[in-house]
Amino acid sequence: MRRKTTAPEDELDIIEIPAIADMTSARPEEQIPDSVIRRLPRYFRCLRELLNRDVMKISSSELSELTGVSASQLRQDLKYFGGLGQRGYGYNVKRLYSGISERLGVGKKYTAVIIGAGNLGRALSNSRLFEQRGVWVKGVFDVSDKVIGGVLGENTVKNVSELKDFCRGANIDIAVLCIPSADQTDLIKLIDGTGVKGVWNFSPCEIDENKIGIPVVNLCTADSLMYLTYEISSKQEK
Amino acid sequence: MRRKTTAPEDELDIIEIPAIADMTSARPEEQIPDSVIRRLPRYFRCLRELLNRDVMKISSSELSELTGVSASQLRQDLKYFGGLGQRGYGYNVKRLYSGISERLGVGKKYTAVIIGAGNLGRALSNSRLFEQRGVWVKGVFDVSDKVIGGVLGENTVKNVSELKDFCRGANIDIAVLCIPSADQTDLIKLIDGTGVKGVWNFSPCEIDENKIGIPVVNLCTADSLMYLTYEISSKQEK
DNA sequence: TAGATTGTTAATCGATTAACAATC
DNA sequence: TAGATTGTTAATCGATTAACAATC
């Protein structure tokens, strides 16, 4: 790694994206496999960190060490962004960062609602997570009279009965589901008619993307914990 | 699906596991691939739900519909549990549930500490997630004087300087990391010397299992959100 | 030039799907 | 028996790794 001699900037969460002229032309025609896309946010975070430390260039083996992705796989992945590297030299961090940012759509703006104002819903609505990713939480909804009317940051918790009208009216992109228990049918009913374009689902029940027709990311934390305890106990036995 | 005619029981989160005699002998010798293990909690949840509804048997195609996993893959996965199915008939829900529960170690007990008492740390320590998976949260730690001393459920937030001694003394199994920003080195330093056997990492920085030598589950929610927004915008373009 | 490191091809590995004989 | 559905094998698909020629 090579650094500029200037002092490192403050760590910014979103680094200003260089002007278009500065960007390497990614190839928007080419379809990037899902497995690669899933690794991009990791590269993005890592490159941002390098930029913050004024690291100018990096080799695939150095980036491998930092990201935990093999050098060979890294080179395969970065191929999709055109010739961002130089043989015998490495990759230009800034150009790589720009290419990946552009592809990931960093800087685009989205709107969201959080459905379920329990522990997790409240934590998410208080976190900076959304603003850091360009997502504006415009509403929080719940079924329980105990929490409806409560204030969460800039939002007042609304009755879930108002959900569909609100989403349609405010043109909401993302539904964040934080409902502690429900079956898939219930969740789909909830989303149906809201016009949202994607679902971030923390509920302990997967939503099948094919059944709802829009992108869904299921993030069942209970399953993740179960996997961990399994790994721990199976490692103990050895 | 076939149901018993008795009224469904109340939904229990952990269903009593049938006695050993009732269990199909899983084959503990056989190594189950990671990809299969990761699907087991989903089957577990689904089968528990079926048991609660007194469904006695189910075919791979029915279970496929419920879980979103293909019937062919289901049969491949269930192979690892020995002959739990009957040709021409289907699977006995109870035996399947028992076999999977046993393999996943449902019923085993673990201890944990939560490190970071911010939004997420507090939400997790208030949630029923841990007790539902047999995990007892015995301590919550933070660096900030603002939260140290505060009460969270049955825990008082302690100074992170006490972490190692506490973990060693209380024989803690799992460290739950909810630190908003840190690099891998910091996180590893934090864990090192605690003697924990696994890490559930919500921090926006992966920990490489190989670097720390114990199982780690990295769950970077920011990356997950980024993947979703990518999917949404790439679907729009079509 | 010599050394380094990419871009790319080929080999390997593993996971998923398809198909069907076995058998309840 | 006839129909249904598993268990299992083979085919396919995709992802990862290895290797090295190209070239900075």
Side-chain angles (χ1 to χ4, degrees), chain A residues 197-237:
Chain A
K197 302 177 187 77
V199 178
W200 205 24
N201 180 25
F202 287 86
S203 306
C205 169
E206 278 84 17
I207 297 176
D208 187 341
E209 229 175 69
N210 303 315
K211 287 201 178 126
I212 194 169
I214 52 175
V216 178
V217 172
N218 293 299
L219 227 155
C220 184
T221 51
D223 285 6
S224 161
L225 179 57
M226 205 167 204
Y227 176 73
L228 178 64
T229 55
Y230 173 85
E231 286 294 308
I232 290 173
S233 62
S234 75
K235 200 156 187 176
Q236 300 276 291
E237 282 158 22

Side-chain angles (χ1 to χ4, degrees), chain B residues 131-177:
Chain B
E131 55 174 296
Q132 284 169 350
R133 289 293 178 266
V135 180
W136 180 13
V137 178
K138 294 184 88 172
V140 181
F141 295 83
D142 204 295
V143 285
S144 164
D145 285 336
K146 283 181 197 155
V147 292
I148 292 169
V151 175
L152 274 175
E154 62 180 17
N155 289 293
T156 302
V157 181
K158 296 179 184 64
N159 194 311
V160 79
S161 64
E162 302 170 36
L163 180 69
K164 287 190 210 320
D165 286 343
F166 180 88
C167 289
R168 290 227 159 269
N171 218 333
I172 298 296
D173 299 313
I174 300 169
V176 182
L177 299 183

Side-chain angles (χ1 to χ4, degrees), chain A residues 11 31-32 34 37-38 40-42 44-45 64-68 103-106 108 110 119-120 122-124 126-130 132-133 135 173-175 181 184 197-200 202-206 208-209 211 213-217 219-238, chain B residues 11 31-32 34 37-38 40-42 44-45 64-68 103-106 108 110 119-120 122-124 126-130 132-133 135 173-175 181 184 197-200 202-206 208-209 211 213-217 219-238:
Chain A
E11 186 181 334
Q31 180 63 23
I32 303 183
D34 196 70
I37 295 290
R38 286 181 186 277
L40 294 186
R42 204 142 102 217
F44 168 79
R45 271 189 286 118
S64 168
E65 176 61 24
L66 292 171
T67 58
R103 189 52 90 107
L104 281 174
V106 173
K108 286 191 183 175
Y110 301 86
N119 287 314
L120 184 62
R122 287 200 303 275
L124 286 175
N126 284 326
S127 82
R128 292 190 57 225
L129 194 64
F130 292 103
Q132 284 168 350
R133 290 292 178 266
V135 179
D173 299 313
I174 299 169
S181 74
Q184 186 176 219
K197 302 177 187 77
V199 178
W200 205 24
F202 287 86
S203 306
C205 169
E206 278 84 17
D208 187 341
E209 229 175 69
K211 287 201 178 126
I214 52 175
V216 178
V217 172
L219 227 155
C220 184
T221 51
D223 285 6
S224 161
L225 179 57
M226 205 167 204
Y227 176 73
L228 178 64
T229 55
Y230 173 85
E231 286 294 308
I232 290 173
S233 62
S234 75
K235 200 156 187 176
Q236 300 276 291
E237 282 158 22
K238 281 174 206 160
Chain B
E11 188 180 334
Q31 180 63 24
I32 304 183
D34 197 70
I37 296 290
R38 285 180 187 278
L40 294 186
R42 206 143 101 217
F44 168 78
R45 271 189 287 117
S64 168
E65 175 62 23
L66 292 171
T67 58
R103 191 52 91 104
L104 280 174
V106 173
K108 286 192 181 172
Y110 302 87
N119 286 313
L120 185 62
R122 287 199 304 274
L124 285 175
N126 285 324
S127 82
R128 293 191 56 223
L129 195 64
F130 292 103
Q132 284 169 350
R133 289 293 178 266
V135 180
D173 299 313
I174 300 169
S181 73
Q184 186 176 217
K197 302 176 187 80
V199 179
W200 204 25
F202 287 86
S203 305
C205 169
E206 278 83 17
D208 188 340
E209 229 175 69
K211 287 199 178 125
I214 52 174
V216 178
V217 172
L219 228 153
C220 184
T221 50
D223 285 6
S224 160
L225 179 56
M226 206 166 204
Y227 176 72
L228 178 64
T229 55
Y230 172 84
E231 286 294 308
I232 290 173
S233 63
S234 76
K235 199 154 186 178
Q236 301 274 291
E237 282 159 22
K238 281 173 204 160

